[in-house]
Amino acid sequence: MSFFELIKKRHSTRSFQKKPVDKVSLDKILTAAESAPSAGNLNAYEITVVKDEGQKKSLSEAALGQTSVALASIVLVFSAVAGKSTCKYAKRGELYSIQDATIACSYAQLAAADLNLGSVWVGAFNEAEVSVAAKLKPGSRPIALLPIGHP
Ligand SMILES: Cc1cc2nc3c(=O)[nH]c(=O)nc-3n(C[C@H](O)[C@H](O)[C@H](O)COP(=O)(O)O)c2cc1C
């Protein structure tokens, strides 16, 4: 599949089969995300992999009850870690960390599509509740959730 076919193929999937995403596919998705460009190559973001059913349910509740989050096999939580960038770029680093996280999430979404997996970018959520549900470290701000599974 060419790159242009891939971007045409990708669309939001909000309902998933009860079938796990295998480790090889997950590793490919994470490798793709980590290949994304980042400001100053500082990778000022973190990806938290959530597979636990209870944690996914809590994330779904934090995302205003969106069922896609609870139904997915895995949910990737992309967080901006401003401190990794502000140490070099001062205030501007806050913006860079958000950009770093969003670009990585885009790469992950395209990688999932290439593997015939479905995903949806979820941006509507309560940040504090997501931080608790995903057990994010202090200084890690959730930017996007990416539920992934078999459509
Ligand atoms: C920043 C951002 C936030 C989004 N938030 C949500 C969301 O909370 N829930 C959801 O179901 N879709 C969400 N979406 C997905 C969009 O609704 C979707 O990408 C858009 O309707 C286009 O459809 P497509 O992805 O199938 O091309 C979000 C997309 C972006 C880029």
Side-chain angles (χ1 to χ4, degrees):
M1 193 190 325
S2 76
F3 175 73
F4 293 100
E5 287 167 336
L6 175 65
I7 54 174
K8 220 171 173 185
K9 173 181 162 164
R10 187 219 57 82
H11 63 271
S12 295
T13 303
R14 296 180 176 85
S15 186
F16 303 98
Q17 297 178 49
K18 262 198 169 308
K19 183 177 164 190
V21 168
D22 62 77
K23 187 181 177 314
V24 174
S25 298
L26 174 59
D27 287 347
K28 283 183 179 172
I29 292 167
L30 293 175
T31 300
E34 287 160 11
S35 307
S38 71
N41 204 22
L42 292 174
N43 300 308
Y45 67 95
E46 280 169 356
I47 306 171
T48 305
V49 180
V50 177
K51 295 180 188 171
D52 178 79
E53 294 300 325
Q55 261 183 299
K56 282 189 283 181
K57 193 168 170 285
S58 300
L59 281 177
S60 168
E61 285 163 10
L64 320 176
Q66 295 192 59
T67 51
S68 59
V69 181
L71 292 173
S73 168
I74 53 171
V75 181
L76 301 182
V77 180
F78 290 81
S79 321
V81 184
K84 287 188 188 175
S85 194
T86 52
C87 55
K88 183 167 182 188
Y89 296 116
K91 183 89 181 146
R92 193 83 183 149
E94 291 174 16
L95 174 64
Y96 290 162
S97 65
I98 294 169
Q99 292 176 330
D100 287 359
T102 50
I103 298 165
C105 187
S106 290
Y107 273 45
Q109 195 167 31
L110 287 172
D114 194 58
L115 294 164
N116 295 315
L117 294 168
S119 71
V120 58
W121 188 301
V122 171
F125 55 77
N126 178 300
E127 289 188 21
E129 289 175 23
V130 163
S131 298
V132 172
K135 300 179 182 162
L136 301 186
K137 293 184 215 127
S140 196
R141 179 187 177 191
I143 300 298
L145 308 181
L146 192 66
I148 301 174
H150 295 271

